[in-house]
Amino acid sequence: MTETVTPAPHPAKPVRVRRRVPTRSPHQAARGNGRLGGPLAALPWALPAFALVGVLLVYPFFRSVYDSFFENNGFTSRFTGFDNYARLADDPVFGRSLLNTLMWVAGTLLLPVLAGLLIAVATHRMRFGGIAQLVIVLPYAISAAATAVLWNFMLTSDGAVNQVLRGVGLDGWAQTWLLEWPQNTLSMIVAGTWQATGLNVVLFAIGLRAIPRDTVEAAQLDGASGWRMFRHITLPQLRAVTVVVVGMAIVNSLKAFDMIWILAKGGPSRSSETLALSMYREAFRLFHVGYGSAIALVLSVIVVASSWTYLRRQMPEAGPRAADGKA
């Protein structure tokens, strides 16, 4: 009698159950579901920043606009309309401050930017170019106040500059550098250039390292070198960096204060004041709060207008491209 062996049944394969991941359309995501989410989810995190900007920037600006229509000495206030602005046109101190501000913009724009560009290009491929750039950058690590103290020691009547000139037989060149206009403003521009050039060297050096090597080699194969290489290859490739450097120089020169105040305090007889110093002296030293607010508003308008005009001229293609995108 034969025994029939029944094969054991194969174990059933486990059935995989796929879970459906719930998804939301962009409109549903934007609406949220009643919980923390949606476009307002980041609002609680941004409120401290908004409050800080409002307290430190927005409120002081509108308060200055309000005070500029009053004769305010810090204790009593009387509405005068546009009298403070009419006073600006007849104030010779304001005219000199405006001229000094323009001199600062021209001097601290041309000299540091041009010097920074030339030094960065000259030391870009030097053997010890990094060390040379470090030496140039070191003054930028010093605060403007410390820089002013150093240059005050050098530019006084018996300071280091005059002593060196007398030591080499150039007694006729020794001058009272900080006591006469316009040489006091020009001397302070030189001091500001000494400090500001370092940052421009760093920015231009970064821009030089970002130039594609293939572009340089192709230009060299075509015979470009020296001035032709700088004019047709290097300078156009540095355009983006130059826009940033010049924009920063414009804003910093318009609001220059600490170095001028420490070196000469706007003297003698307020001859070297800029708009920032005139605003400070009128509002916080002479307690002409309304008149100082009018100067501050004029300075703000100049800063915003010059920055906007410069950026518009440097990026004229933004308008047509934006229009094409909307179309």
Side-chain angles (χ1 to χ4, degrees):
M1 182 176 182
T2 59
E3 184 178 356
T4 305
V5 179
T6 304
H10 295 285
K13 295 182 179 180
V15 180
R16 296 183 179 180
V17 179
R18 295 184 177 180
R19 289 187 176 184
R20 183 178 180 183
V21 179
T23 58
R24 293 187 298 174
S25 66
H27 299 287
Q28 292 173 337
R31 288 196 302 268
N33 53 2
R35 295 177 295 179
L36 186 62
L40 302 180
L43 184 59
W45 306 97
L47 282 178
F50 289 154
L52 190 64
V53 171
V55 171
L56 298 180
L57 295 178
V58 178
Y59 171 74
F61 173 76
F62 286 104
R63 180 63 192 227
S64 297
V65 175
Y66 174 81
D67 287 338
S68 67
F69 296 104
F70 289 81
E71 183 180 343
N72 186 352
N73 60 6
F75 300 97
T76 60
S77 178
R78 181 173 63 88
F79 180 77
T80 58
F82 290 94
D83 288 354
N84 287 323
Y85 296 98
R87 179 182 169 187
L88 293 175
D90 299 329
D91 189 357
V93 175
F94 174 78
R96 177 63 62 84
S97 299
L98 183 60
L99 177 59
N100 287 331
T101 301
L102 295 178
M103 291 176 62
W104 263 92
V105 172
T108 57
L109 175 62
L110 295 177
L111 295 180
V113 173
L114 184 59
L117 175 62
L118 296 179
I119 293 173
V121 173
T123 59
H124 178 50
R125 299 194 180 278
M126 284 178 56
R127 183 176 181 182
F128 298 103
I131 299 177
Q133 291 178 1
L134 177 62
V135 173
I136 301 298
V137 170
L138 284 178
Y140 182 73
I142 306 174
S143 65
T147 301
V149 172
L150 174 62
W151 279 84
N152 188 38
F153 167 76
M154 298 172 59
L155 296 175
T156 53
S157 299
D158 56 347
V161 174
N162 285 341
Q163 290 183 13
V164 171
L165 292 175
R166 294 189 183 102
V168 298
L170 299 176
D171 296 18
W173 289 26
Q175 302 181 36
T176 53
W177 300 100
L178 299 176
L179 298 180
E180 296 181 10
W181 188 89
Q183 64 192 28
N184 50 9
T185 299
L186 298 176
S187 300
M188 289 184 286
I189 289 175
V190 173
T193 300
W194 180 78
Q195 185 195 29
T197 301
L199 176 62
N200 298 336
V201 170
V202 172
L203 295 177
F204 282 123
I206 295 173
L208 289 171
R209 290 183 175 89
I211 297 178
R213 183 63 183 174
D214 297 341
T215 303
V216 177
E217 292 178 351
Q220 290 175 345
L221 291 175
D222 290 339
S225 62
W227 169 250
R228 292 180 60 192
M229 174 70 75
F230 175 77
R231 179 183 177 184
H232 298 288
I233 302 298
T234 304
L235 201 57
Q237 293 290 330
L238 292 176
R239 183 178 183 275
V241 178
T242 305
V243 170
V244 175
V245 171
V246 173
M248 292 174 56
I250 292 174
V251 175
N252 291 333
S253 58
L254 285 172
K255 65 182 184 66
F257 176 84
D258 42 9
M259 185 173 295
I260 306 172
W261 179 258
I262 295 175
L263 278 174
K265 288 185 171 56
S269 301
R270 306 184 66 175
S271 62
S272 62
E273 280 189 0
T274 59
L275 290 178
L277 260 74
S278 295
M279 178 270 297
Y280 170 77
R281 189 184 298 276
E282 293 289 344
F284 299 103
R285 287 301 184 97
L286 303 177
F287 297 103
H288 300 156
V289 179
Y291 188 56
S293 299
I295 297 175
L297 186 60
V298 171
L299 178 59
S300 301
V301 171
I302 292 175
V303 171
V304 173
S306 58
S307 302
W308 182 83
T309 303
Y310 171 72
L311 292 177
R312 288 289 297 178
R313 289 180 62 88
Q314 293 301 320
M315 296 179 290
E317 69 276 4
R321 288 185 179 179
D324 294 341
K326 291 181 180 180

